[in-house]
Amino acid sequence: MKQIKQIQSHLTVSGTIWDPFAVGKIIGFCSASDIGDLSHGYRLFVCLQYRTTFIWNTMIRGFAEKNEPIKAFALYKQMLRSDFLPNNYTFSFILRACADTSCLFLGLICHAQVIRLGWESYDFVLNGLLHLYATCNCMDPARKLFDMSVNRDVISWTSLINGYAKSGQISIARQMFDKMPEKNAVSWSAMINGYVQVELFKEALEHFNYMQLCGFRPNHAGIVGALTACAFLGALDQGRWIHAYVDRNGIELDIILGTAIIDMYAKCGCIETACSVFDSMPNRDVFAYTSLISGLANHDKSASAIELFMRMQLEGVVPNEVTFICVLNACSRMGLVDQGLRIFKSMSEIYGIEPRVQHYGCLVDLLGRAGMLEAAKKVVREMPIEPDNYVLGALLNACRVHGDVDLGKETVESLVERSLDHEGVHVHLSNIYASTEQWNGVEKVRRGMEDNEVRKVPGCSLIEVDRVVCEFVSGERTNVLMEEIVVLLFGIDKHLKSLCFFDDDNEVATEGGSLLDCQ
């Protein structure tokens, strides 16, 4: 900017500062360059007596691309009042601002102006409209525009695919993707992230691998999407390969990518590696901190999680709602009631964040684990928002741990009143009766479950073998390798029984009898 200001001074002295071409170049640099100063460009723009459509477009583009869409709208309105007609470039920038704010009303106004002035057939105006409608989840008008277009390019196709994927219509998105005459890394990434959004993580990784087989190098968005899928599937080998790919190709470890890698390692059980990646990041925001705090808490490193929370505050990073959920969980697991209460109070008193139902659930869990059932019950009774199954479930779990049958029955009744009595609630109540050896109560709950046809959702597990994720569901026998699995489980079961030990009451410590019952 120093050299630009020197050039501006020279133009001022020479009297050519009012030349539209020269001043347009300066404003363009200030608006579009990464090292430019948008506010300086705007001050120069305001001082101009004579402006061209190019200069108006340059300024609108600057605000749109620097994530200041409201200022872009205001400038566009001022442009119209100054009797300047917008052109195709103007609409491409202002439609982007509409999409960034998801403001369909302003988008419809702009679309009407596009039609009235005859710019609808221009490629980047059409693509801007497609992107706007897809972003606002208005797929019918988006599809009509797409079908009417005679000059569809890869951007048009990708905008429509992205819209279908974000609206959950992943099968239509895949059909469109398969019909694309030409694909690029962005269109591949749109499908990967679409699968992730609808929690089809296995399909996301398959698409990521197929993308490379087709000769496309994954871009930033595709890598982040694949890492997210690895995190949810526990696909550590695939995640490690992607991390190595990032290092091998010199891809910048920015905040978004770094956080995705941290989350992947934390959820795959490699918390030390997650910490190492966190320390290597040049810049860290609240999402990076929150991801690692969550990972540490989930790996029984609650002390480290709380310590990282304190470090986060010292470094001036403001925690968000999710951060408080993670750190309150860490306090709960360590039994740090006083510290947890202080952190809970700091949400509203220091950071101005009103606790939501999830935070109250963490508070109930904190008190319940510590055996302070009356205090937990008081929180549930006095909380300013309606308790949900998470809050009441935390209280019910505390009842199970501490054998409070009466409070457990009361909690279940509250869940039934709110129609939140899923199968896990009845199992919890049955376990509460069992922990106090009230077998008649156990039988009564189980009989009620049978009468109401309440069935427990079968458990499942995932394992990654040779970068392929396999899922096993309890009770399912459709796996093609079922015979080999049964033989292997039989051997493991026999080996475990040979190592079976007895507790102090001379009772066998293992329950359930056989691993084969799980299949």
Side-chain angles (χ1 to χ4, degrees):
M1 278 302 297
K2 183 178 179 181
Q3 290 82 359
I4 286 293
K5 290 180 179 179
Q6 288 176 346
I7 295 171
Q8 182 181 335
S9 299
H10 177 74
L11 292 174
T12 303
V13 171
S14 63
T16 55
I17 187 64
W18 307 121
D19 176 54
F21 179 79
V23 77
K25 290 293 183 181
I26 295 176
I27 293 175
F29 179 86
C30 293
S31 303
S33 174
D34 291 335
I35 59 174
D37 186 346
L38 183 59
S39 59
H40 179 82
Y42 182 67
R43 286 194 297 269
L44 180 58
F45 170 84
V46 170
C47 294
L48 292 178
Q49 293 179 340
Y50 303 103
R51 300 165 185 158
T52 63
T53 301
F54 172 78
I55 293 176
W56 281 101
N57 287 345
T58 302
M59 211 59 242
I60 292 172
R61 175 190 179 186
F63 285 124
E65 292 185 347
K66 295 294 175 64
N67 297 320
E68 295 192 48
I70 304 302
K71 291 183 179 179
F73 293 142
L75 205 59
Y76 175 68
K77 190 175 181 180
Q78 187 181 345
M79 177 185 182
L80 296 176
R81 286 177 176 174
S82 301
D83 293 327
F84 280 89
L85 284 177
N87 59 18
N88 49 346
Y89 294 100
T90 317
F91 285 118
S92 66
F93 305 139
I94 203 67
L95 285 170
R96 173 177 175 173
C98 292
D100 288 343
T101 56
S102 297
C103 185
L104 182 60
F105 177 72
L106 284 175
L108 291 170
I109 293 174
C110 290
H111 192 177
Q113 291 173 333
V114 165
I115 295 172
R116 185 166 61 86
L117 296 173
W119 295 112
E120 193 176 22
S121 61
Y122 283 77
D123 292 351
F124 35 89
V125 176
L126 176 66
N127 289 337
L129 288 167
L130 280 172
H131 178 60
L132 166 68
Y133 286 123
T135 301
C136 295
N137 199 21
C138 296
M139 294 312 300
D140 288 340
R143 186 59 184 263
K144 287 179 182 178
L145 279 173
F146 180 83
D147 292 339
M148 288 168 54
S149 174
V150 293
N151 296 316
R152 303 168 189 159
D153 57 14
V154 66
I155 299 175
S156 311
W157 284 89
T158 304
S159 295
L160 199 64
I161 289 169
N162 201 38
Y164 278 125
K166 285 185 175 180
S167 63
Q169 302 179 68
I170 196 67
S171 59
I172 300 177
R174 183 56 192 262
Q175 290 172 11
M176 296 294 296
F177 178 84
D178 291 337
K179 292 178 182 178
M180 282 185 75
E182 180 185 355
K183 301 178 179 68
N184 61 11
V186 178
S187 52
W188 282 92
S189 298
M191 276 306 308
I192 292 170
N193 285 289
Y195 280 127
V196 169
Q197 184 173 326
V198 297
E199 299 184 0
L200 295 174
F201 303 115
K202 188 175 180 181
E203 288 79 357
L205 283 186
E206 289 173 353
H207 203 70
F208 179 77
N209 294 330
Y210 185 48
M211 171 186 184
Q212 295 167 80
L213 290 174
C214 292
F216 289 89
R217 293 168 62 89
N219 62 3
H220 183 278
I223 291 171
V224 171
L227 285 168
T228 304
C230 291
F232 278 93
L233 291 174
L236 179 59
D237 289 344
Q238 179 92 38
R240 280 175 172 160
W241 185 92
I242 296 172
H243 186 192
Y245 178 89
V246 169
D247 291 340
R248 188 168 59 250
N249 289 275
I251 299 174
E252 180 187 0
L253 194 67
D254 62 12
I255 292 174
I256 296 175
L257 182 56
T259 302
I261 294 175
I262 290 169
D263 189 56
M264 182 274 296
Y265 278 123
K267 288 180 177 175
C268 289
C270 298
I271 193 62
E272 291 81 9
T273 310
C275 292
S276 176
V277 173
F278 178 85
D279 292 334
S280 68
M281 289 175 65
N283 299 299
R284 296 179 284 265
D285 67 354
V286 62
F287 299 104
Y289 272 99
T290 301
S291 180
L292 188 56
I293 289 170
S294 175
L296 289 167
N298 290 332
H299 283 79
D300 290 329
K301 295 181 180 292
S302 296
S304 298
I306 297 169
E307 182 182 336
L308 185 62
F309 177 71
M310 300 303 176
R311 172 183 164 188
M312 171 186 183
Q313 294 172 300
L314 290 174
E315 293 187 4
V317 180
V318 179
N320 61 18
E321 293 179 353
V322 181
T323 315
F324 281 106
I325 292 173
C326 297
V327 76
L328 285 171
N329 277 330
C331 292
S332 179
R333 291 174 184 182
M334 285 193 69
L336 300 175
V337 176
D338 292 338
Q339 187 167 6
L341 290 172
R342 284 196 300 271
I343 290 172
F344 183 84
K345 290 179 181 178
S346 72
M347 287 183 63
S348 55
E349 294 178 358
I350 298 177
Y351 296 103
I353 300 173
E354 287 301 319
R356 301 170 69 110
V357 68
Q358 296 93 333
H359 301 104
Y360 281 102
C362 293
L363 186 59
V364 170
D365 185 59
L366 172 70
L367 297 169
R369 284 178 185 244
M372 302 169 65
L373 296 183
E374 285 302 318
K377 181 180 176 182
K378 184 179 179 182
V379 169
V380 174
R381 188 170 57 248
E382 297 180 357
M383 58 188 289
I385 47 183
E386 185 75 11
D388 66 354
N389 59 339
Y390 181 78
V391 175
L392 295 172
L395 183 60
L396 185 61
N397 187 59
C399 296
R400 179 187 63 81
V401 172
H402 298 285
D404 193 326
V405 176
D406 294 335
L407 183 55
K409 289 170 63 178
E410 183 182 331
T411 304
V412 170
E413 289 171 2
S414 296
L415 286 163
V416 172
E417 289 174 4
R418 293 170 173 83
S419 299
L420 300 174
D421 54 327
H422 55 79
E423 71 285 341
V425 171
H426 299 282
V427 172
H428 260 311
L429 182 58
S430 173
N431 291 337
I432 292 173
Y433 280 122
S435 65
T436 57
E437 298 185 356
Q438 298 186 33
W439 306 115
N440 290 334
V442 173
E443 185 180 355
K444 181 179 179 181
V445 172
R446 296 289 181 177
R447 190 183 304 116
M449 291 177 65
E450 291 178 3
D451 293 342
N452 295 315
E453 296 184 350
V454 177
R455 300 191 181 279
K456 184 179 178 182
V457 176
C460 67
S461 59
L462 299 169
I463 186 171
E464 181 189 16
V465 180
D466 296 331
R467 291 174 61 184
V468 176
V469 177
C470 304
E471 181 180 29
F472 298 92
V473 179
S474 178
E476 183 183 8
R477 294 180 173 270
T478 59
N479 194 290
V480 293
L481 299 175
M482 198 63 216
E483 291 185 8
E484 291 87 340
I485 293 171
V486 170
V487 171
L488 182 61
L489 284 176
F490 181 79
I492 295 173
D493 187 61
K494 187 175 181 180
H495 180 66
L496 287 176
K497 284 182 177 179
S498 69
L499 298 176
C500 195
F501 60 92
F502 295 85
D503 62 15
D504 294 336
D505 296 327
N506 292 324
E507 293 181 356
V508 178
T510 56
E511 296 181 2
S514 175
L515 283 172
L516 297 177
D517 295 336
C518 299
Q519 293 295 327

